[in-house]
Amino acid sequence: MSGRVQGKTVAITGASSGLGRAMALRFAAEGAHVVCADVRSDPREGGEPTVDVIAASGGSGEYVEADASRWDDIDRLVTTAAAHSGRLDVMVNNAIVAGPHSKGLLETEEDDWDAIMAVGLRGVFLCCKRAVQQMLTQEPVAEARGRIINLSSQHGMIGAPGHVAYCTAKGGVVNLTRQVAVDFARRGIIVNAIAPGKILTRPADEPDTPEVLAYSHSRTPFSRLGRPDDVAAAALYLASDECSYVSGTNLLVDGGWMAY
Ligand SMILES: NC(=O)c1ccc[n+]([C@@H]2O[C@H](COP(=O)([O-])OP(=O)(O)OC[C@H]3O[C@@H](n4cnc5c(N)ncnc54)[C@H](O)[C@@H]3O)[C@@H](O)[C@H]2O)c1
């Protein structure tokens, strides 16, 4: 087998569900060893755990229970990933907490703000820091010691009506991506973000409201909303050696939302 990330070690936070799961399955299908980190192994949307699906299709992966907002957990995640082949080639910082914590300014309590920021922004900082520590110890492959992919959002660039902390965290992720890219480009670390538009990842028993779907369709020039595989395909490019001389960017996978 010779995939586009053949033999690379990839760690993904929030890999049990949604986009993290789709990226994990795609990376494994393309020959990577995928270290799937999450606070739960069962997918929010149902089905078998990501690592079980990878194993059943002949891929290579392992599950690490790790809370993206805790340094000790991320330290253990990166140490575990690097133990597989001696290096961490790709770190994907995807985990998010939003749900009932995500509200408008006047409804958001300090605890809501802290819950979203802990995973959505502080967690991305911790993961970038620990990944860079590891990557700096590695020899370059195709000019890169390592690659980092942060999941931002179209709502990191524009307002998301009624979602003040989420929107602020994602704005931070966009500029954190640029900052780490700038600081470590000369040392061979490639850092990019993916900004999904509306991708259908909600569990069947917690569906998007008709209002959310109508708003998303009204903002999306494509006739359909996004699929997790749309994001996985973009992540695969950013993770592969084909992605050269691209760093600090925020790749929109949004069906044209931000062009509208
Ligand atoms: N789905 C979309 O439309 C969309 C749009 C824009 C941006 N995004 C971004 O894409 C990423 C993935 O979104 P999704 O829709 O797949 O989310 P999701 O809610 O379906 O999955 C998130 C995963 O993160 C895990 N998680 C939660 N807290 C964690 C923690 N502390 N440590 C580790 N893992 C934790 C959850 O258990 C879950 O498996 C997020 O960063 C999200 O903000 C998604």
Side-chain angles (χ1 to χ4, degrees), residues 14 16-20 38-40 44 66-69 94-97 119 151-154 166 170 196-199 201:
S16 293
S17 316
L19 305 185
D38 208 300
V39 289
R40 52 186 283 175
R44 291 184 65 218
D67 181 336
S69 69
N94 163 82
I96 195 66
V97 163
V119 178
L151 271 289
S152 62
S153 169
Q154 83 276 42
Y166 180 82
K170 292 300 183 181
K198 179 61 183 169
I199 316 291
T201 58

Side-chain angles (χ1 to χ4, degrees), residues 79-258:
T79 301
T80 302
H84 178 74
S85 64
R87 56 189 294 136
L88 173 64
D89 296 289
V90 184
M91 180 88 197
V92 183
N93 301 321
N94 163 82
I96 195 66
V97 163
H101 289 295
S102 195
K103 292 174 277 202
L105 177 69
L106 299 180
E107 297 76 31
T108 298
E109 302 295 342
E110 289 171 56
D111 286 351
D112 297 316
W113 179 271
D114 291 345
I116 291 175
M117 288 294 169
V119 178
L121 186 53
R122 184 174 184 274
V124 180
F125 149 67
L126 295 176
C127 290
C128 284
K129 178 172 175 173
R130 185 63 188 88
V132 166
Q133 285 178 341
Q134 169 60 35
M135 290 171 183
L136 289 173
T137 70
Q138 304 173 175
E139 290 303 312
V141 171
E143 292 188 290
R145 286 184 206 282
R147 296 165 186 271
I148 296 174
I149 303 169
N150 295 325
L151 271 289
S152 62
S153 169
Q154 83 276 42
H155 291 131
M157 293 163 280
I158 56 172
H163 296 280
V164 67
Y166 180 82
C167 201
T168 308
K170 292 300 183 181
V173 169
V174 172
N175 225 28
L176 176 62
T177 300
R178 296 188 184 111
Q179 182 67 40
V180 183
V182 166
D183 283 342
F184 293 95
R186 278 194 170 71
R187 282 174 274 179
I189 299 176
I190 291 177
V191 189
N192 290 296
I194 295 174
K198 179 61 183 169
I199 316 291
L200 297 169
T201 58
R202 304 273 307 195
D205 57 354
E206 296 172 41
D208 286 304
T209 62
E211 292 75 24
V212 165
L213 291 175
Y215 176 68
S216 299
H217 276 291
S218 76
R219 294 298 304 258
T220 304
F222 259 52
S223 58
R224 66 169 175 86
L225 300 179
R227 303 179 187 118
D229 282 348
D230 296 323
V231 173
L236 181 61
Y237 163 67
L238 293 175
S240 74
D241 293 346
E242 291 163 43
C243 170
S244 62
Y245 211 57
V246 176
S247 198
T249 195
N250 184 30
L251 176 55
L252 310 178
V253 183
D254 67 353
W257 185 305
M258 289 300 295

